[in-house]
Amino acid sequence: MTWQTVVEQPSALGESPFWHPDEQMLYWVDIPGRQLHRLNVFMGSVQSWPMPSEPGCIAPARNAAGEGTGLVIALRDGIYRAHEWGGTLQCMVAADHDKATTRFNDGKADPCGRFWAGTIYEPRDASQARLFSLDRRNGEEPRLELKAGDATVANGLAWSPDEKTVYWADTPSHTIRAWDWDCESNAMRNERVFRQWPGKPPGWQSGMSGYGGRPDGAAVDVQGNYYVAMFEGARLVKLSPKGELLADIAVPAQCPTMPCFGGSDLQTLYLTSARQNRPEHELQVFPSSGCVFSMQMDVPGLPVNFFID
């Protein structure tokens, strides 16, 4: 398996990639760059859209009849709807967190059409990050429903193919949790540790051995395997539905951030990465840090879920 660089222009912190099946385009965000990007993989052209604040995550959107276009976007201060690329940003719900210390981070739509977004507590000295869902189906008044907490940096959100398990990671604690989940009621039960890794060794610096990274963004394939980017670990890990290690895939960046499946057959694995605040010697070893990579897979992934309003 070999990685290809599909976007040469690096992001400071690329995140939240998804493959749009109707447009056959790859979307992702640059959080500190305050940009949304989309790639026409056939032409190799990238379009960019500046945001008024940091976009933590995005998802495609449509109405209940399966019509319409646009995106749902979690910015620092709330969750917004745009009905077309470059269009007006309409705030659906304002965040109730302190915008000076907290912003939205990893998120995506669930199989029933809700939008989920977790937060990051930027001082990172307390477990104040939370996970929310937003439901606008059937004319629901938009509101954030608290789903989980006790985290510092929300990441790793994903669902199993049978829609009975939801995964969520707290990056600094090196832990991925799982819950039994009911799509119709949106109830989460039976919280458990899905996988946990050792913390960063004291004094560890980029280029040293002895550290495998910590869990960032994730994706799931049709067999229920969970793929998670290991930030600072220069690798992507594939876990079975039981949390067993199935594959450890080296990545051409010290800080991979989030995978997604794309292409017409959903057998192309795309991966975003970061280069912001990375040491110069690391960037010499990994000059493509911040770029988007791809790899062909034997097993297809799950398609992106759409937010429904």
Side-chain angles (χ1 to χ4, degrees):
M1 296 187 291
T2 304
W3 292 103
Q4 305 293 325
T5 302
V6 295
V7 179
E8 298 285 351
Q9 180 63 37
S11 296
L13 175 55
E15 278 282 8
S16 196
F18 75 82
W19 177 263
H20 200 300
D22 301 336
E23 301 175 6
Q24 294 288 289
M25 299 182 79
L26 179 72
Y27 284 70
W28 73 102
V29 307
D30 181 354
I31 297 177
R34 300 186 179 187
Q35 296 272 341
L36 270 57
H37 300 295
R38 64 179 181 180
L39 167 70
N40 183 321
V41 297
F42 308 105
M43 302 294 292
S45 57
V46 176
Q47 293 178 301
S48 300
W49 179 11
M51 293 285 108
S53 65
E54 301 96 323
C57 55
I58 54 175
R62 57 170 54 133
N63 63 26
E67 302 168 340
T69 58
L71 299 167
V72 56
I73 307 163
L75 298 177
R76 174 175 285 272
D77 63 342
I79 298 178
Y80 292 75
R81 180 74 160 90
H83 288 276
E84 60 183 354
W85 176 264
T88 302
L89 296 176
Q90 302 172 341
C91 184
M92 293 190 292
V93 60
D96 65 354
H97 54 241
D98 180 357
K99 286 74 172 178
T101 62
T102 305
R103 63 167 174 81
F104 283 109
N105 198 49
D106 177 87
K108 57 186 67 171
D110 73 22
C112 283
R114 306 176 191 89
F115 182 66
W116 294 52
T119 58
I120 173 174
Y121 179 63
E122 292 172 317
R124 307 192 188 201
D125 57 5
S127 298
Q128 294 190 17
R130 296 178 290 174
L131 177 64
F132 299 91
S133 71
L134 173 66
D135 194 348
R136 285 202 69 182
R137 300 168 302 161
N138 305 315
E140 293 282 344
E141 183 68 24
R143 65 180 181 86
L144 291 174
E145 179 183 348
L146 178 63
K147 303 305 298 180
D150 192 27
T152 305
V153 180
N155 268 309
L157 184 66
W159 288 267
S160 61
D162 63 6
E163 303 176 3
K164 293 183 179 179
T165 304
V166 58
Y167 304 95
W168 191 50
D170 177 34
T171 300
S173 69
H174 296 69
T175 304
I176 303 170
R177 289 181 275 172
W179 290 259
D180 297 337
W181 179 69
D182 180 75
C183 195
E184 183 176 350
S185 67
N186 202 21
M188 295 166 61
R189 301 182 180 88
N190 188 26
E191 179 182 345
R192 57 209 181 262
V193 173
F194 176 64
R195 182 85 182 196
Q196 187 165 27
W197 288 268
K200 185 190 293 188
W204 183 90
Q205 296 181 15
S206 178
M208 295 181 177
S209 60
Y211 181 53
R214 50 197 180 273
D216 201 320
V220 174
D221 68 21
V222 296
Q223 296 177 347
N225 301 309
Y226 180 95
Y227 299 71
V228 60
M230 298 298 288
F231 194 88
E232 281 197 323
R235 63 186 183 134
L236 180 77
V237 170
K238 177 182 178 182
L239 303 174
S240 77
K242 295 182 179 180
E244 304 158 326
L245 178 63
L246 299 179
D248 194 328
I249 306 168
V251 171
Q254 187 72 49
C255 298
T257 53
M258 185 173 177
C260 77
F261 286 90
S264 58
D265 58 2
L266 292 175
Q267 287 186 231
T268 301
L269 186 70
Y270 291 99
L271 180 68
T272 51
S273 63
R275 68 182 293 119
Q276 183 188 41
N277 300 327
R278 303 311 302 170
E280 185 58 36
H281 67 85
E282 176 183 302
L283 297 180
Q284 291 178 0
V285 176
F286 297 109
S288 296
S289 294
C291 295
V292 181
F293 311 106
S294 71
M295 176 186 289
Q296 293 303 119
M297 308 300 288
D298 295 332
V299 177
L302 297 178
V304 68
N305 297 316
F306 279 72
F307 174 68
I308 298 174
D309 62 357

